[in-house]
Amino acid sequence: MTRISLTVDGASVSDDVEPRMLLVHYLREKLGKTGTVIGCDTSNCGACTVHLNGTSVKSCNVLAVQADGAEVTTIEGLARDGELHPVQEAFRECHGLQCGFCTPGMIMQSVALLQENPKPSEEEIRLGLEGNLCRCTGYHNIVRAVQHASGQAETAGATS
Amino acid sequence: MTAVQERPGAEIGRDRRRKEDQRLITGRTRWTDNLQLPGMLHLAMIRSPFAHATIASIDKSEAEKATNVVAVFTAADLGESLGACINAWAITTDQVTPAHPPMPADRVTFAGEIVAVVVARSAAEARDAAELVDVEYDELPAALDLKEAAEATPENGGALAHPDLGTNKSALWTFDSAEAGTGGNVDEAIEKARTDGILIEREYRQQRLIPAFMEPRSVVVDPTGEQITMWSATQIPHILRFALAATTGVPESKIRVIAPDVGGGFGGKLQQTPEEMIAFAVARRLGKPVKYTETRSESLMSGHHGRDQWQRLTLAATKDGTVTGLKVDLLADLGSYVAIVGGGVPVLGAFMFNAIYKFPAYRFNCQTVLTNKTWTDAYRGAGRPEATYAIERLMNELAAEVGVDPLAVREKNWIKHEEFPFTTVAGLEYDSGNYEAATAKARELFGYDELRAEQRRRRESGDPVQLGIGVSTFTEMCGLAPSRVLGQLNYGAGGWEHAEVRMLPTGKVEVVTGASAHGQGHETAFSQIVADRLGVAFEDVEILHGDTQISHKGLDTYGSRSLVVGGEALVKAVDKVIEKAKPIAAHLLEASVDDLEFTGGRFSVRGTDQGMAIGEIATAAFAAHNLPDGVEPSIDSEATYDPVNFNYPHGTHLCAMEVDTETGALKMRKYVCVDDIGNIINPLIVAGQVHGGLVQGIAQALWEEAVYDESGTLVSGSFVDYLLPTAADTISFDVDHTTSPSTTNTLGTKGVGEAGTIASTPAVVNAVVDAVRHLGVNDIQMPCTPERVWKAINGAHGGGHADTEGAAAPHFDASTGMEGTVDRTTGGADA
Ligand code: FES
Ligand code: FES
């Protein structure tokens, strides 16, 4: 067991964890932060994406001990004071989700993408989301959502 | 039929943002794997590495000693309480149906089959201990190749998936239009075409696909209450409860199944799974709550697969391109067991090979075959994509043969819009449609003529990058359908759906539906229907689903049935509420029932300003202080609706694809589709369904394939090898609609969930082939990888017919596996 201390969604936490425990399991099982989900066992799907010190990571690819001293933001910490993050709003506005399983990871990745590049082109959005799989939306409306959040698309056209 | 426009209500037809989204975008979703119950134990499955083997011994002593391991169970330990996985569709009365134990005792029949289960205090400890279970196997010859499996007999020494059955042939299902009286004799049509017409003979492979929903399957069973409660990431909570009761002997009233939020399905969660059965048995045995969540690799290996067919087709036509007959011989790989509706999936396709066309003669033979691979069952479209692919590829071949545009040959053969309703050569009655309108709109949106001109320019200049234009027109049968018809097909269940409308004392409305969602937005679309029909606010309607305790009756969600069957049940339940409220309203308003009219959620007395809202009547009925004599103090209502027919969405899809003839690389330039799904409740949701469907169909054309090696191991057993498309692989689509309201339901709607998938696969492959047809290519095996495209262009055959890997398999002989009778099994597991 190793002692770790970190900040998760604004709250500081300390725990003894097994050295092999993955961050995603720590978040889900120890902290009950089930908003972050697991979609694969090969780090391919991106469903588990969170922010570690402000950068997006696949939390199934990070050991909990590696997050010692870090600041972690999950989908559950994205809304502030009951106000949805603009990217969360954009996903709803543009119907960028169906079953919603990929959504926490997609939103976290999109937030990170826009931090780096506030006005991405469609191509840049598509490349930026390459590590996150979605089986429902065909990505069309996810791309729209990111464009919308970046102020580059007025509405989600149902017919385009 | 009520035209939507007649209703002043603003909800139907409106781009409503979804009610579901608040929880999904904030991480407050109720996935099964999120559940933590006090004292819960965790399961890890031990799975066979072999495709076919007898289990010589299982030594679990080391695992039992491991830290925090509570028990290790094999089939012998759990015995009768394991039950059997259900098969609900014997497509013929003599279908060979091997018994399907959730955990076999002595012989495994595919790689990934469960032979033991470890129960421990944590999931990680269960997985660790699973490594310590020592299973000895004696490998048996495995039936892996579909064509070889079809031919195998004990006499010729071919491998049998279940040696005790003496055959791999499960069922032979045939349809002949001459015998059925729906058309002419196909042999005569073929003979005539051979001497004086055009005969197109082709063989197409429908590769094996994996549904690959993003949420892995998960099950939690709590046996500690009055009932046994199962939470499962399933599409079919109601059917699952029935199946558990029927196969374990636990009374239905003692089982509650909850499908909380479910992360996608696409048919892949339409099953009573071995994992659910094992969790159920273990929980009962130990008297403690248990959880099992599969890993992605387990999911790909042992969740059911889809497609996997060989199609041999003969199309007869006159020299001007008028089709005179179609013959289809199909081999369908069921895998090692006949899954819940797996035996029926290829037969659903049988009705769709004639697609939108007026074929005068038709024959279909379908041989389903058992192999030592994961079992196959419904996958988005289920039978219809396979049929649509074949016919839309053939129509392009016919156009090439006649020397006309692919759209022209379609136009020559399709049903004209004034001919609806139309009874097809397969015996279906198409409700409504307008193929001319959809095609004209798609052509225009696409810029068809301009792109054809560009294609000509590139050909003439010998541009290394050629342009292909892919056409696909389609129709499908959805909203399965009158129970009577399903009964004639030997299907084990009906096609109805149930709905209940509860008028709460405050005037708000709770609606219960048996159609449980897994991403389709039922809570939103159904609220829109109720809001308009009942005249209440969208926000005042709450939709409840996915819990057999709350929604005691239903047939769940698959086959694009929710709106067209479940929505119609809802309409009927709402209408009953209004009927029940009427005498109370008349009484309270001191008017005659005949003088009342109901509009905008209010009963009003004609010619006066007197009136009452439906919510006020709900309140009055609840208080029951002043009701007419003999009237019950409730206006709650329910309805069970059995559809009068399937319904038939259709559409025209056009794809432009750039093909680099030097490398085989493909680049999709444009994709346009115009779908006609009748009246639309929520255009935003519909567009989302179409986009997702398109990418799933495009993925079959270009990327996805479940591949086994010669020993029967699934090579594409993770997302590293099973190539789901990413955002970077795909493009944005142009999606539009035409509207031919369905005549078979009040709302005039048709299903949309599978449309994109059905139509896009042939559109894409037609585009790829079209780009290089002038180089002598007329077929490329799916998925059309750059390597296959390159090989086709630089054909080992020196141009001409470009055979690819698929066709290197033993040649398909129509007489093989297609004739003869099938022995009845002894160990059937039908229930
Ligand atoms: S669960 Fe982390 S990438 Fe799939
Ligand atoms: S919304 Fe279902 S996987 Fe993305």
Side-chain angles (χ1 to χ4, degrees), chain A residues 86-97 107 110 114 125 129 139-153 155-156:
Chain A
V87 172
Q88 287 173 307
E89 283 285 9
F91 268 68
R92 169 159 59 197
E93 180 60 25
C94 301
H95 188 35
L97 64 151
I107 290 177
S110 301
L114 290 174
I125 295 170
L129 296 177
Y139 304 106
H140 182 112
N141 283 343
I142 290 177
V143 173
R144 288 295 159 280
V146 178
Q147 286 174 326
H148 186 74
S150 71
Q152 299 184 95
T155 51

Side-chain angles (χ1 to χ4, degrees), chain A residues 18 20 25 28-29 32-47 74-79 82 84-85 87-104 106-107 122-123 125-144 147-148 154-160, chain B residues 15 17-22 24-29 31 33-36 123-125 127-128 210-216 261-264 266 291 294-298 379-380 518-521 683-693 695-696 699 704 717-720 722 724-737:
Chain A
E18 279 197 59
R20 69 168 180 170
H25 289 129
R28 288 180 57 79
E29 290 157 26
K33 295 250 171 207
T34 50
T36 304
V37 295
I38 303 169
C40 72
D41 35 48
T42 46
S43 301
N44 285 98
C45 76
T74 77
I75 187 75
E76 291 168 60
L78 204 56
L84 292 178
H85 188 283
V87 172
Q88 287 173 307
E89 283 285 9
F91 268 68
R92 169 159 59 197
E93 180 60 25
C94 301
H95 188 35
L97 64 151
Q98 289 179 33
C99 79
F101 195 78
C102 72
T103 309
M106 273 301 174
I107 290 177
E122 170 166 349
E123 171 119 13
I125 295 170
R126 289 182 175 277
L127 285 171
L129 296 177
E130 200 176 16
N132 292 63
L133 297 175
C134 174
R135 192 57 154 169
C136 301
T137 62
Y139 304 106
H140 182 112
N141 283 343
I142 290 177
V143 173
R144 288 295 159 280
Q147 286 174 326
H148 186 74
E154 285 313 305
T155 51
T159 55
S160 61
Chain B
D15 271 348
R17 272 51 184 164
R18 296 198 318 171
K19 288 184 166 182
E20 292 83 347
D21 291 354
Q22 180 67 25
L24 299 171
I25 58 180
T26 54
R28 302 287 195 278
T29 319
W31 308 116
D33 188 49
N34 293 356
L35 272 177
Q36 283 300 344
E125 286 161 332
R127 272 197 298 274
D128 283 351
I210 306 184
F213 35 77
M214 289 314 297
E215 181 209 18
D261 285 312
V262 176
F266 317 109
K291 184 200 277 186
E294 69 186 1
T295 63
R296 178 57 57 184
S297 310
E298 288 183 297
Y379 169 53
R380 204 168 189 169
H518 43 282
Q520 296 91 340
L684 193 67
I685 291 179
V686 161
Q689 289 277 312
V690 171
H691 299 149
V695 168
Q696 268 179 295
E704 290 182 29
S718 76
F719 279 158
V720 179
Y722 190 79
L724 291 194
T726 70
D729 297 320
T730 50
I731 62 166
S732 294
F733 306 106
D734 293 305
V735 170
D736 211 333
H737 303 279

Side-chain angles (χ1 to χ4, degrees), chain A residues 1-14:
Chain A
M1 290 286 187
T2 309
R3 186 87 186 155
I4 56 168
S5 300
L6 63 161
T7 309
V8 178
D9 294 337
S12 36
V13 289
S14 264

Side-chain angles (χ1 to χ4, degrees), chain B residues 420-439:
Chain B
F420 288 93
F422 184 87
T423 303
T424 73
V425 74
L428 298 178
E429 191 186 295
Y430 289 179
D431 54 351
S432 65
N434 188 335
Y435 308 139
E436 297 92 324
T439 304

